[in-house]
Amino acid sequence: MKPRAISDAAKAEKKNSILLAALDEFYERGFAAARMDDIAKRCHISKGTLYLYFNSKDALFNGLIELIAKPKQQQLIGMMNQATSAQSALVTMTEFMPVVIEQGQLPKLIKILIGDSGVFPEVVQNYKTTVIEPALAALSQLFHRSNQSGETQIDDPELFARLVVSPVIFSAIWKAVFASGDALGFDLKKLFRLHQKVLINSLHIDQEK
Amino acid sequence: MKPRAISDAAKAEKKNSILLAALDEFYERGFAAARMDDIAKRCHISKGTLYLYFNSKDALFNGLIELIAKPKQQQLIGMMNQATSAQSALVTMTEFMPVVIEQGQLPKLIKILIGDSGVFPEVVQNYKTTVIEPALAALSQLFHRSNQSGETQIDDPELFARLVVSPVIFSAIWKAVFASGDALGFDLKKLFRLHQKVLINSLHIDQEK
Amino acid sequence: MKPRAISDAAKAEKKNSILLAALDEFYERGFAAARMDDIAKRCHISKGTLYLYFNSKDALFNGLIELIAKPKQQQLIGMMNQATSAQSALVTMTEFMPVVIEQGQLPKLIKILIGDSGVFPEVVQNYKTTVIEPALAALSQLFHRSNQSGETQIDDPELFARLVVSPVIFSAIWKAVFASGDALGFDLKKLFRLHQKVLINSLHIDQEK
Amino acid sequence: MKPRAISDAAKAEKKNSILLAALDEFYERGFAAARMDDIAKRCHISKGTLYLYFNSKDALFNGLIELIAKPKQQQLIGMMNQATSAQSALVTMTEFMPVVIEQGQLPKLIKILIGDSGVFPEVVQNYKTTVIEPALAALSQLFHRSNQSGETQIDDPELFARLVVSPVIFSAIWKAVFASGDALGFDLKKLFRLHQKVLINSLHIDQEK
DNA sequence: GATGAATGAGGATTCATTCAT
DNA sequence: GATGAATGAATCCTCATTCAT
């Protein structure tokens, strides 16, 4: 019974390394143009072995979404729900995001999702309903709460949440698509600090429309 | 001796209809997965005829960039350069953008560019330097000018320009990737009106950092 | 009735120029790889016009054989039949051949025939029976006659004829295949003068076997 | 970790059988008209497998040259260099050649080379400089040596070498192009015996020009 | 008669997937 | 479990041939 546990752990580990290889190949060439052979080579296994762990190219794609997207979303939602005020939440978020974008695999995943959304409409819809919309909802609710507590006067929290999120998408895509090597061409932290300032400055003034 | 069996105008028209078909196929399936056959069928010509007008799939891709991206950028830059004040420019832009996104082909093109950036690094870099960076530069210069005229106090116009642009990218991708059919799921005009309010509200306060 | 005659002459002229263009294209690329388009361009007509004169690519090939091979063969056979002695015939021939090879289209035709013999077995067989074998037969009969007249003692005129002809084939192929530009790399006239000397020297000694 | 599922020997064997299949297809239809599919079928493998061993049709062509031409040339040059006299060399050669032509694949290769010389000028030039010219040079040098030893009086060994070789080319092409089935239509051995006699008879008389 | 735009069958090549070792 | 050889469906692209102008 013990050996099984070890074997399972090793198996999970291998699955993981395959998925990371797939992430990079899908990111670099797109799903359709990526070759199973290259994915196998990238994690130093044979094509045959690859199929021992994932039954098809599609399975790889789905495994990838599962592996990377879900945890990030949990993190973000947790962050929103634990926030005591809209302002502190925005501060936390605008400091957290540059790190996620700069270091993480999220830009790669976003790029893949966008590029292959036509091929996997169900996956993308599923991603939308289980990852993106809950995250946006958590943000909106935060602003609803802060409106009720009197901290803010945001007349459309749903839209405001989208404004909050926009530079994340912009930066992720910029990094994934336009950055030459690692050089973004602008200072990500400063961008989000500016974003933070603009947002906080707008928390109280929405009524004056 | 060589009567032009088909007029140049008709030829250009046909090229155009082919490019629009390609736009849709590339958009729906991605460049790699799109089939030349399907592109041909979509504009009711044969595969052979398609190759009379474009020598390869790549040529189709490049033609697309030329057709769609360039004009939009000219329009945007013109808009920025004719602006008499930062505020009026922002108003114009935030009213113009929802229309571009809702009706135009820009979201499709952006989606294609992102999805296939790995396959066409040169095209994407070229797009970056000839379309995106000039547009961002025009925006930045607008804010530089309004800073000098005393209208605004924006301490980093380059980054501010990126904040201004972020919801355009966000909305374009949302439309191209997540929208079910035509339903965006939120009110694009309202979003940009909110964006406009937040931005204008921030034109004077950047110094208080 | 007159206009018809002129028209027919013009037609024949045009057919001829087409065939010469075809000769060069077939020679340069082989029958299968040659393009009708290129043949048309080479004689400054359109592809459509080409088909007014020849119904198919095959028809072009057949027309070519007809045009070039037959006359040469007539010339050669005439030469053999008019010869008064084996020796004078050999002299005439070995002086005639270098010119044919150096200036004429025969090497090109031979090269085409060889290269595409697999695709047109009937044409090649037809060429063999109507052009080559009669020519070889004329040669053989010449030697039979000279044997009977006592001029020569060739015990196998059929094989001797083939020896006589060998350097023609060798040179034709060398020119068509290996010559860089026009430079054969050796002196064709000298080769055939040597050939002549060797042959004449052998006319009397075949009995000593 | 990477057991060689197939031995190197087996791999080489397979490559060989593919090349022989390619030889026949190229021979029968010409390079351009030969179909990869047919080559594969001829050696009972799939098209995909064919590409495991040769990356392209061109690679197949080049492999063929390597496989067949080189060894023959080595054999011929060795023969010339080991000869103790011009006469014995000619005897050896004229007895060896009918066998090579009758049984070997050289006629097929020669036919292919001629037919596709326009498509592969580099290959043909390479073949000329590495196979044909060395062989001709070896022959010439043999006659130079025999001239010096007093055995022969050949005033132009380079041209004489070409005369020696001519019936080889003639016979090879006759077999590849004109022979119906296996029947050449004449006696190859006798032809070369006659050739031998004519040549040997000419070794001493060249001076009398 | 002449043109060249249009067609689509045909062929080289790639690559996801299978399976014997 | 691991391997990589083998397969063949799928897709880009070419080019002989047709036909409306």
Side-chain angles (χ1 to χ4, degrees), chain A residues 116-184:
Chain A
D116 298 305
S117 56
V119 189
F120 295 102
E122 346 74 47
V123 172
V124 172
Q125 283 309 309
N126 177 47
Y127 185 79
K128 179 190 172 191
T129 48
T130 63
V131 179
I132 301 202
E133 285 180 337
L136 280 175
L139 255 181
S140 309
Q141 279 153 23
L142 171 71
F143 297 128
H144 273 296
R145 289 201 304 273
S146 62
N147 270 347
Q148 283 166 355
S149 75
E151 182 197 356
T152 62
Q153 285 129 323
I154 300 169
D155 56 41
D156 197 328
E158 272 70 29
L159 293 181
F160 197 77
R162 282 168 167 81
L163 280 191
V164 168
V165 156
S166 285
V168 177
I169 303 297
F170 172 85
S171 304
I173 287 174
W174 191 277
K175 180 170 172 59
V177 175
F178 295 120
S180 340
D182 276 341
L184 261 189

Side-chain angles (χ1 to χ4, degrees), chain C residues 103-159:
Chain C
Q103 299 169 0
Q105 296 141 334
L106 196 64
K108 290 183 184 177
L109 187 73
I110 290 179
K111 192 230 151 189
I112 295 173
L113 265 176
I114 294 172
D116 298 305
S117 56
V119 189
F120 296 101
E122 345 75 47
V123 173
V124 172
Q125 283 308 310
N126 177 49
Y127 185 79
K128 180 190 173 192
T129 49
T130 64
V131 180
I132 302 200
E133 286 180 337
L136 280 175
L139 255 182
S140 309
Q141 279 154 23
L142 172 70
F143 297 127
H144 272 295
R145 288 202 304 275
S146 63
N147 271 346
Q148 282 167 356
S149 75
E151 182 198 357
T152 61
Q153 285 129 324
I154 299 169
D155 55 41
D156 197 328
E158 274 69 30
L159 292 181

Side-chain angles (χ1 to χ4, degrees), chain C residues 22-198:
Chain C
L23 174 71
D24 284 333
E25 288 293 329
F26 289 167
Y27 168 63
E28 284 173 17
R29 324 179 62 101
F31 176 80
R35 271 167 280 151
M36 294 299 269
D37 229 350
D38 289 342
I39 295 173
K41 265 175 207 149
R42 203 184 259 261
C43 50
H44 312 294
I45 60 172
S46 74
K47 224 188 324 178
T49 308
L50 181 51
Y51 274 87
L52 289 180
Y53 290 86
F54 294 92
N55 291 320
S56 69
K57 212 182 179 185
D58 285 25
L60 267 179
F61 189 88
N62 290 311
L64 210 46
I65 304 296
E66 206 65 25
L67 175 70
I68 299 185
K70 290 282 168 64
K72 280 289 173 255
Q73 176 230 25
Q74 296 307 327
Q75 215 172 352
L76 187 69
I77 291 181
M79 216 177 265
M80 293 304 102
N81 290 339
Q82 287 166 15
T84 53
S85 73
Q87 182 156 342
S88 71
L90 286 179
V91 169
T92 310
M93 214 193 100
T94 50
E95 275 165 9
F96 176 56
M97 275 311 162
V99 181
V100 171
I101 290 168
E102 199 75 74
Q103 299 169 0
Q105 296 141 334
L106 196 64
K108 290 183 184 177
L109 187 73
I110 290 179
K111 192 230 151 189
I112 295 173
L113 265 176
I114 294 172
D116 298 305
S117 56
V119 189
F120 296 101
E122 345 75 47
V123 173
V124 172
Q125 283 308 310
N126 177 49
Y127 185 79
K128 180 190 173 192
T129 49
T130 64
V131 180
I132 302 200
E133 286 180 337
L136 280 175
L139 255 182
S140 309
Q141 279 154 23
L142 172 70
F143 297 127
H144 272 295
R145 288 202 304 275
S146 63
N147 271 346
Q148 282 167 356
S149 75
E151 182 198 357
T152 61
Q153 285 129 324
I154 299 169
D155 55 41
D156 197 328
E158 274 69 30
L159 292 181
F160 197 75
R162 282 168 168 80
L163 279 194
V164 169
V165 154
S166 284
V168 178
I169 303 297
F170 172 84
S171 304
I173 288 174
W174 190 277
K175 179 167 172 62
V177 176
F178 294 120
S180 341
D182 276 340
L184 261 188
F186 61 89
D187 187 321
L188 202 57
K189 279 183 191 167
K190 270 194 185 168
L191 179 75
F192 274 87
R193 227 176 293 140
L194 178 57
H195 186 42
Q196 172 192 315
K197 202 163 38 166
V198 169

Side-chain angles (χ1 to χ4, degrees), chain A residues 179-190:
Chain A
S180 340
D182 276 341
L184 261 189
F186 61 88
D187 187 323
L188 202 58
K189 279 184 191 166
K190 267 195 187 167

